[in-house]
Amino acid sequence: MKQKVPVNVITGFLGVGKTTAIRRLLADKPPQEYWAVLVNEFGEVGIDGAAISAASDELNVVEVPGGCICCTTSPMLRVSLTRLLRDRRPDRLIIEPSGLGHPAGIIDVLRDPFLAAALEIRATVTLVDPRQLDDSRYTTHETWRDQISLAEVLIANKCDRADAAQVDRFLAMAQAMFPPKLAVITTRDGVFDQALLDLAAEVPTSGQATGPALGHAMFAPTRRSQPALSHDAAPPQGVSSKDHSEPGQTSRGWVWPAAQRFSAERLAMLFQRLHDHATLGLPPLSRAKGVFHTDHGWLLFNWVGGETSAVEIAWRRDSRAELIAQADSADWQRLETALADCLLADTAS
């Protein structure tokens, strides 16, 4: 069986430096490797493709000009990928969507059974200009927000052109996000460590480390590996879990494979029950949050102060949840049973 081709989606809004970052990655790639880049430009004249093509001879650049390959109803992405894989199987594939595209649709297409047999989705990278956080044209734009939500590696580029307050706002936004990012980087000129392309998803835990310097990771990178289980965790089948405790506070996080789907209605009912924590055998809760692949798409559930909300989210890596209880320890068994009951039968096994 042929080894799967690792694929990274590198996204970001117009003008954040995606093409520059990709050119740098290509210049530093292992010399014996053959990489391919799939570029989607908003207009009909391919500029980014020409710029990337000049970066290396050991490279195949495929352009899909006009329209958007992010659309799950468009056949162009599937056709382009199939042709690319048939021509010469690359050692790595990078996909650069249009800065105006919704990249979550690309991840959905890559999980198509036919493509998934040949491709392995690695870390999704999003570049942001920290100066954009001061401009409501960006911060209120659905695509801008979706690109950041989707990211597993979030990079503030052009930090040499931003002031310290703008960079600090970016870092504060990144640290507050759920699901947490695998790495948060501040840099300039599109420079970042190629090892970030192969980061692995972690089981959620509370209390991430902070304190980045320019060009360094806010969260420590972890190579691709299976997340460790806590010794006292007994998660349902197919689920990874991890505990975190501090005096007067304990939490547990869970991660389910992306292919497993949940009933949105059952999840909503469960989150609404959290105020009555005793019925789930739990101490009082401080916070509950989770992102789930459901029969109504990908949804972010939040519970705080007895109030529950659910909104669409662009995250695609996996389903995950975290609850924080106001106690030194908690028995999570009933809650885990309730979460397992929310799984849809066609993906529960």
Side-chain angles (χ1 to χ4, degrees):
M1 178 181 292
K2 292 183 179 179
Q3 187 174 2
K4 291 187 177 183
V5 176
V7 54
N8 298 95
V9 177
I10 298 182
T11 187
F13 220 66
L14 297 171
V16 297
K18 299 189 300 298
T19 301
T20 299
I22 292 173
R23 283 173 55 86
R24 288 189 174 275
L25 286 172
L26 297 173
D28 295 333
K29 75 174 181 65
Q32 73 279 9
E33 291 190 0
Y34 177 73
W35 286 21
V37 182
L38 185 66
V39 181
N40 177 223
E41 301 204 52
F42 188 74
E44 292 294 336
V45 179
I47 304 300
D48 288 351
I52 293 172
S53 295
S56 174
D57 293 332
E58 280 297 298
L59 177 67
N60 181 15
V61 178
V62 178
E63 286 187 280
V64 187
C68 181
I69 60 174
C70 306
C71 178
T72 57
T73 61
S74 171
M76 292 308 300
L77 178 57
R78 289 179 177 85
V79 170
S80 298
L81 286 172
T82 301
R83 183 178 303 161
L84 184 152
L85 292 170
R86 285 176 179 169
D87 288 346
R88 180 178 174 184
R89 199 176 186 88
D91 294 295
R92 182 180 297 273
L93 169 63
I94 291 176
I95 300 178
E96 181 193 355
S98 161
L100 297 176
H102 292 75
I106 292 177
I107 304 299
D108 292 335
V109 171
L110 294 175
R111 289 211 173 103
D112 176 273
F114 176 78
L115 292 174
L119 300 171
E120 180 185 0
I121 303 172
R122 299 286 178 92
T124 299
V125 179
T126 296
L127 276 70
V128 177
D129 185 334
R131 295 173 296 177
Q132 294 172 343
L133 273 70
D134 291 335
D135 191 335
S136 62
R137 292 176 300 175
Y138 294 99
T139 58
T140 60
H141 200 291
E142 180 182 359
T143 300
W144 187 87
R145 297 198 305 267
D146 283 351
Q147 290 170 346
I148 292 173
S149 295
L150 182 70
E152 290 151 337
V153 174
L154 186 59
I155 298 177
N157 193 29
K158 301 187 176 182
C159 287
D160 54 322
R161 305 181 191 181
D163 59 39
Q166 290 168 328
V167 175
D168 287 344
R169 278 195 291 276
F170 165 82
L171 294 175
M173 174 196 72
Q175 189 175 18
M177 296 193 74
F178 183 86
K181 305 306 179 187
L182 299 182
V184 175
I185 304 297
T186 57
T187 191
R188 57 185 291 179
D189 302 322
V191 177
F192 66 90
D193 189 345
Q194 196 170 118
L196 296 176
L197 298 176
D198 294 320
L199 292 190
E202 288 286 336
V203 177
T205 55
S206 302
Q208 297 281 8
T210 61
L214 184 67
H216 290 76
M218 180 176 180
F219 307 143
T222 303
R223 299 287 184 151
R224 296 184 64 81
S225 61
Q226 292 299 316
L229 296 179
S230 62
H231 293 298
D232 57 344
Q237 185 177 5
V239 183
S240 299
S241 72
K242 197 170 185 178
D243 290 347
H244 179 83
S245 295
E246 298 177 2
Q249 180 174 281
T250 187
S251 71
R252 178 168 289 183
W254 300 265
V255 172
W256 294 263
Q260 292 187 322
R261 291 192 307 132
F262 291 77
S263 163
E265 182 179 359
R266 290 179 222 161
L267 284 171
M269 293 174 64
L270 175 58
F271 269 74
Q272 289 169 359
R273 286 178 57 197
L274 293 180
H275 72 281
D276 197 7
H277 54 87
T279 64
L280 293 167
L282 293 173
L285 299 175
S286 300
R287 180 74 184 270
K289 51 192 173 182
V291 57
F292 300 93
H293 186 192
T294 79
D295 50 352
H296 289 277
W298 289 79
L299 299 176
L300 170 65
F301 282 83
N302 258 313
W303 181 95
V304 62
E307 297 292 329
T308 301
S309 64
V311 296
E312 293 184 357
I313 189 170
W315 178 263
R316 290 296 190 274
R317 167 62 62 177
D318 47 42
S319 295
R320 53 177 57 209
E322 183 182 54
L323 271 73
I324 303 174
Q326 301 170 22
D328 293 331
S329 63
D331 181 355
W332 304 101
Q333 184 174 353
R334 288 192 214 172
L335 177 67
E336 289 183 335
T337 299
L339 285 168
D341 288 343
C342 294
L343 281 166
L344 295 175
D346 60 343
T347 61
S349 59

